[in-house]
Amino acid sequence: MITVLTPTYNRGYILVELYESLMGQTDHDFIWMIVDDGSTDGTGAFVEKWENQKPPFKIVYLKKANGGKHRAVNYAVKRIKTEYTFIVDSDDRLTTNAIACVKKWAKTIEKDRSFAGVAGLRGFRLNERIGDYPPGILPGGYIDADNRQRRKLCLTGDKAEVYRTEMLRRFPFPEYEGETFLSECVSYNRIADHGFKIRWFNEIIYLGNYIDDGLTNHIHENRLKCFRGFTEETKSEIKAKGMIRYRMIGRYIQVAKEKGIGSRRIRKLLEISQFELVGGYIWHVLQTIADTVRKRR
């Protein structure tokens, strides 16, 4: 029913923590697919060692040339045969009941094809949630919403989404030659734009570990290097209503300025009006002032 998909690049030193958390699951009826994105640290030897230990779940190891997480996911979903795909990063872990929870939650949407999948919460620890969750919903309860409704409903921060595999095949991540980073929101927003929802449950099943060499801690650097992908991300995000549009344009202006891209080109790339561009510049200036004040404190 479920494939736990882990793209990895030179993470053999920490991948063992995820392996141990999978060994500790109360339900071992899943497949662990590891996509080695061109690692040079001997990741394959780690996987071979675990396979020789004959774990209670199937391990599928794939290796490809380095191309970034989004390409690794695209590569993998073409080969996944289970109904659901749970993308779990190589530096993270699952709670002991994660697979059991996902199976239970998936049954609640089994016959409703308007749902692209289910999701739990991520946490730094079992009692410390990452991001926000709508107030008034008891632990174990849920709310139905598409990916674009998250900010409005206080579903902010990283979550533990489990998508129907067919959705990830139907809406793959765009790939740009020479670029190795793309935000997952690009495809998740496309899924939402086609009318598909997620059932978001109020329970932590995924423990995040934002290590120094991770994508999150290098987000600005990656946006600079992978600017076409960042442009696609911004065009996706500015479809939102309200002030968030100007915040996203302002963020884009900051990166574009560092690349020496002027206002006329920004307008053309984002396909926005002069009014929207001015609103983005105002947001950018206010954010720059706020960052300066924060650094002085």
Side-chain angles (χ1 to χ4, degrees):
M1 185 181 188
I2 301 169
T3 293
V4 175
L5 172 57
T6 302
T8 186
Y9 175 67
N10 287 344
R11 290 286 179 79
Y13 72 96
I14 200 170
L15 191 60
V16 63
E17 295 184 13
L18 174 54
Y19 170 69
E20 290 173 350
S21 80
L22 296 177
M23 288 290 288
Q25 291 299 302
T26 59
D27 186 334
H28 289 114
D29 184 21
F30 63 91
I31 294 170
W32 187 26
M33 180 177 283
I34 303 161
V35 183
D36 187 340
D37 191 37
S39 296
T40 57
D41 67 345
T43 293
F46 285 97
V47 177
E48 184 178 3
K49 174 184 174 183
W50 299 331
E51 289 178 316
N52 290 337
Q53 294 173 353
K54 299 189 182 304
F57 50 87
K58 181 179 180 180
I59 297 178
V60 176
Y61 175 72
L62 305 173
K63 186 160 186 177
K64 60 179 290 297
N66 180 255
K69 177 182 175 180
H70 62 299
R71 280 192 176 85
V73 172
N74 287 346
Y75 181 82
V77 296
K78 295 175 183 177
R79 294 158 174 81
I80 291 175
K81 298 178 181 179
T82 57
E83 184 177 0
Y84 288 91
T85 297
F86 188 2
I87 301 173
V88 181
D89 291 343
S90 54
D91 54 345
D92 295 333
R93 294 162 289 136
L94 296 181
T95 63
T96 57
N97 66 336
I99 297 298
C101 284
V102 170
K103 285 188 174 183
K104 178 177 66 176
W105 298 342
K107 287 181 179 179
T108 70
I109 65 165
E110 189 174 14
K111 297 181 180 179
D112 192 339
R113 307 307 289 187
S114 69
F115 283 91
V118 296
L121 303 181
R122 294 196 194 194
F124 293 109
R125 286 172 285 277
L126 281 172
N127 60 352
E128 185 181 358
R129 180 186 67 217
I130 293 174
D132 295 320
Y133 190 82
I137 299 177
L138 296 175
Y142 63 81
I143 184 171
D144 296 338
D146 67 45
N147 200 64
R148 288 201 179 278
Q149 296 172 310
R150 289 181 57 182
R151 292 187 184 93
K152 179 181 178 181
L153 297 175
C154 297
L155 281 164
T156 59
D158 289 334
K159 299 291 183 277
E161 297 98 327
V162 184
Y163 275 91
R164 296 188 196 268
T165 304
E166 65 181 89
M167 291 286 106
L168 297 177
R169 288 198 195 103
R170 182 176 168 186
F171 302 98
F173 296 105
E175 299 181 12
Y176 297 96
E177 186 176 355
E179 296 194 356
T180 58
F181 174 77
L182 181 81
S183 171
E184 294 173 6
C185 77
V186 174
S187 287
Y188 295 170
N189 282 343
R190 285 178 61 206
I191 291 172
D193 290 340
H194 281 76
F196 295 103
K197 301 170 290 186
I198 296 289
R199 179 158 285 175
W200 310 84
F201 285 84
N202 186 14
E203 184 168 351
I204 294 174
I205 62 168
Y206 185 124
L207 301 177
N209 188 12
Y210 297 103
I211 61 177
D212 290 341
D213 65 351
L215 293 175
T216 300
N217 286 333
H218 294 272
I219 189 72
H220 184 71
E221 175 186 338
N222 283 323
R223 285 169 175 161
L224 277 168
K225 290 193 302 183
C226 304
F227 192 70
R228 285 176 294 174
F230 179 48
T231 299
E232 191 66 30
E233 174 192 350
T234 304
K235 288 172 70 174
S236 173
E237 290 285 66
I238 64 176
K239 291 180 181 179
K241 297 178 181 179
M243 292 301 296
I244 189 65
R245 288 171 54 82
Y246 301 105
R247 176 184 171 189
M248 294 296 103
I249 295 171
R251 184 184 69 180
Y252 186 84
I253 288 170
Q254 178 186 1
V255 177
K257 284 180 65 177
E258 290 186 44
K259 291 187 70 68
I261 296 173
S263 299
R264 183 177 299 179
R265 181 65 175 162
I266 291 172
R267 274 191 61 191
K268 185 176 181 180
L269 288 169
L270 295 185
E271 300 173 357
I272 58 175
S273 67
Q274 182 66 30
F275 178 82
E276 290 170 316
L277 181 69
V278 171
Y281 265 108
I282 292 172
W283 190 280
H284 168 62
V285 170
L286 292 175
Q287 187 62 54
T288 301
I289 294 172
D291 290 343
T292 302
V293 172
R294 192 182 304 113
K295 289 177 181 178
R296 289 176 177 174
R297 287 178 178 175

